Amino acid sequence: MEFLADYASFLAKTVTLVVAILVVLIAIASLRRGRGKQSGGHLEVHKLNDFYKSMRERLEQSVLEKEQLKALRKREAKAAKQAKKTDDSRPRVFVLDFDGDIKASAVENMRHEITALLTLATPRDEVVLRLESGGGMVHGYGLAASQLVRIREAGIPLTVCVDKVAASGGYMMACIGEKILSAPFAILGSIGVVAQLPNVHRLLKKHDVDFEVMTAGEYKRTLMVFGENTEKGREKFQDDLETTHELFKNFVARYRQQLSIDDVATGEVWLGIAALGKQLVDEIRTSDEYLADRARNADLFQLHYAHKKSLPERFGMAASATLEHGLLKGWSRLNEQRFWQ
């Protein structure tokens, strides 16, 4: 019996080791395959009317008496039957969500969601964007705003709801909406541009460390982290910021013609109630209130494009495998970043 116990223990350890090796080999192979191609994804669609209906029915079941509930269901069935006879088609509302980070990474999903809805939506429908972003990189939020412009150009009404914050690049996206709704204390505005970076040239010089930068083109590098910055380079960098700010102002003014753009393009932010007075928003209202109201006479569909995770991503290996590449790439781009903030 002691021999059998030892043998079983040895067999269990061997099997465990073999399985662990196989998992590692499969993960490495999947990681190598995934480096050269983008993971696929799929569009998820949820009908929000069913969500609101299930919450209401759950509350009714808890609050109403049995006879009251039975009578209510009978009236609802009769009303639904009558509505089906009079009008078989209800307007549709497509709901999108954008939770922005500094790189506007959410645009990778939103672009697919917009492409999908434009194949079906008509000017009779509506798109509602629940937006939350404090801004970030110019090129990222420029692309995100351009995706929303596709909706406007298709003639489909676009409503933007801001419950917490739509500042800087976030407001650049919000201004494309035909209507902007804001919660009373949401943060809006910050129509300005900022760029900042450290400079350690004097520290390197103190320790007799040389840093060489070879460029072709007078303004290939203006401000640097390790090299010595010049007054000419600073002036050029500031000119670039001013040019970007002017483009930002013109873009906002194009879609919010009621604004006094010079009064609001100072980099300041306003809370929702004050933003209404500045005409940065059109109405004080939360997204929950607006969507619940629209659900009474329209069909609401929430769209979300979900990317398929590779095996290494599921095991958390992709982040460590790309960390070194990401750090090197980040340092190489540090001097070229502009931020809507």
Side-chain angles (χ1 to χ4, degrees):
M1 292 298 293
E2 184 176 352
F3 169 78
L4 291 177
D6 291 339
Y7 180 78
S9 176
F10 169 78
L11 184 62
K13 292 178 180 178
T14 303
V15 171
T16 301
L17 179 62
V18 171
V19 171
I21 293 173
L22 287 175
V23 169
V24 171
L25 291 176
I26 293 172
I28 292 174
S30 179
L31 177 60
R32 288 178 176 176
R33 288 197 302 269
R35 285 179 180 177
K37 62 179 182 179
Q38 183 180 4
S39 299
H42 64 279
L43 184 68
E44 298 176 352
V45 182
H46 304 284
K47 192 171 183 180
L48 292 180
N49 301 71
D50 297 336
F51 170 73
Y52 293 125
K53 182 180 178 182
S54 64
M55 288 199 303
R56 176 173 55 82
E57 290 179 347
R58 182 69 184 88
L59 182 61
E60 291 169 347
Q61 290 173 0
S62 301
V63 173
L64 299 179
E65 298 291 339
K66 187 175 181 180
E67 292 300 321
Q68 292 176 315
L69 185 61
K70 185 177 180 180
L72 177 62
R73 294 289 180 262
K74 188 175 181 179
R75 291 196 300 270
E76 289 176 345
K78 185 178 180 180
K81 187 176 181 180
Q82 184 64 28
K84 191 173 182 180
K85 288 181 179 179
T86 56
D87 186 8
D88 193 33
S89 62
R90 302 208 310 168
R92 294 166 300 203
V93 176
F94 298 96
V95 182
L96 309 179
D97 292 286
F98 187 94
D99 188 0
D101 57 17
I102 197 168
K103 297 191 297 183
S105 302
V107 72
E108 294 303 320
N109 290 342
M110 188 179 71
R111 67 200 306 178
H112 297 303
E113 295 160 4
I114 293 175
T115 297
L117 72 87
L118 288 180
T119 64
L120 184 64
T122 69
R124 185 170 179 262
D125 302 321
E126 179 186 8
V127 176
V128 174
L129 174 67
R130 293 186 290 196
L131 172 65
E132 181 177 345
S133 175
M137 294 181 181
V138 171
H139 56 277
Y141 279 91
L143 177 59
S146 299
Q147 295 296 329
L148 297 179
V149 170
R150 296 169 60 194
I151 300 174
R152 286 288 298 266
E153 290 182 345
I156 302 169
L158 173 62
T159 300
V160 177
C161 296
V162 182
D163 290 328
K164 294 181 180 179
V165 57
S168 197
Y171 189 77
M172 183 186 186
M173 294 176 63
C175 75
I176 300 169
E178 293 179 272
K179 289 190 299 183
I180 304 178
L181 311 183
S182 167
F185 292 94
I187 299 172
L188 299 108
S190 189
I191 303 174
V193 187
V194 62
Q196 54 189 355
L197 70 163
N199 182 267
V200 296
H201 170 70
R202 286 184 294 178
L203 178 63
L204 297 178
K205 186 177 180 180
K206 179 180 178 180
H207 293 279
D208 296 323
V209 177
D210 293 327
F211 181 79
E212 301 292 341
V213 179
M214 309 299 291
T215 63
E218 184 179 3
Y219 295 115
K220 180 60 181 176
R221 282 290 182 269
T222 51
L223 295 186
M224 297 178 290
V225 175
F226 300 105
E228 182 178 7
N229 292 320
T230 65
E231 198 59 39
K232 187 176 182 180
R234 293 188 183 92
E235 291 176 1
K236 174 58 178 173
F237 198 87
Q238 184 63 42
D239 287 343
D240 291 342
L241 292 182
E242 297 292 345
T243 299
T244 306
H245 187 214
E246 196 64 28
L247 291 171
F248 191 1
K249 290 168 57 178
N250 293 339
F251 187 89
V252 173
R254 176 182 176 185
Y255 291 99
R256 296 287 295 181
Q257 296 182 7
Q258 64 269 47
L259 281 176
S260 175
I261 191 63
D262 289 331
D263 291 340
V264 297
T266 59
E268 297 174 82
V269 297
W270 292 269
L271 298 180
I273 299 172
L276 180 63
K278 293 284 186 179
Q279 300 189 67
L280 288 165
V281 301
D282 300 298
E283 189 177 343
I284 300 297
R285 206 175 191 188
T286 65
S287 63
D288 300 304
E289 182 183 1
Y290 183 73
L291 291 176
D293 184 57
R294 292 292 282 126
R296 301 175 189 274
N297 51 26
D299 292 326
L300 275 60
F301 300 95
Q302 182 182 9
L303 275 58
H304 173 65
Y305 187 84
H307 286 281
K308 294 179 181 178
K309 290 185 177 180
S310 64
L311 184 61
E313 288 173 334
R314 293 175 185 175
F315 283 94
M317 296 177 64
S320 60
T322 58
L323 176 60
E324 181 180 355
H325 173 71
L327 288 173
L328 292 174
K329 190 175 182 181
W331 276 110
S332 67
R333 292 186 175 179
L334 185 60
N335 293 335
E336 300 174 2
Q337 294 176 357
R338 305 289 188 276
F339 298 92
W340 295 122
Q341 287 185 346

